[in-house]
Amino acid sequence: MTTECAATIFQVSDLAAATVFYTETLGFNLDFEFGSVVGLHHGNVFIHLSGPASQGNKKAIGEGHMYIFCDEVDDYFAEIAAKGADAFIPPADRPYGVRDFAVRDPDGNILAFGKSIAPEN
């Protein structure tokens, strides 16, 4: 078996509003809509949004967390912050060897975006 990618599933309270946030604010692209689930992608990063009408293995709304590795963070941070993203942790070089920041979606799910840097000694 060779793995290709993964999709994180976030439980959301308003599927339409969450879809707008992820596409218009964070720049994700719509991949599919199936019932009360929406699939989104940004490059090779996939997120599935599960609305309140979803059946099956429901998780609590707003308790998701995802870390996304990328090639840069500062321009992207400026872009999404200008669009109103709740960027509650600003970009900074961290002692664990990445420059990263974090945002919350309207339901409280957290996405962190990080770029590898030389670790501090």
Side-chain angles (χ1 to χ4, degrees):
M1 177 187 78
T2 301
T3 58
E4 295 179 3
C5 65
T8 297
I9 302 170
F10 286 154
Q11 194 71 34
V12 297
S13 62
D14 183 329
L15 189 58
T19 301
V20 168
F21 172 78
Y22 279 87
T23 57
E24 295 183 9
T25 304
L26 297 185
F28 279 75
N29 297 298
L30 184 64
D31 190 35
F32 70 86
E33 296 178 71
F34 182 75
S36 59
V37 176
V38 168
L40 305 162
H41 70 93
H42 197 303
N44 289 327
V45 173
F46 292 84
I47 295 176
H48 293 178
L49 303 176
S50 181
S54 291
Q55 301 298 314
N57 191 15
K58 270 191 177 180
K59 302 292 181 192
I61 291 172
E63 291 189 2
H65 194 163
M66 179 179 197
Y67 197 98
I68 300 169
F69 293 92
C70 45
D71 62 352
E72 75 83 32
V73 294
D74 293 293
D75 291 341
Y76 183 62
F77 172 82
E79 176 186 330
I80 66 172
K83 293 177 181 178
D86 177 12
F88 69 102
I89 299 175
D93 293 351
R94 312 292 179 198
Y96 44 87
V98 297
R99 179 168 183 79
D100 64 9
F101 70 91
V103 299
R104 275 189 279 259
D105 77 6
D107 286 301
N109 295 300
I110 297 171
L111 295 95
F113 297 87
K115 174 190 180 339
S116 293
I117 58 173
E120 296 176 7
N121 292 324

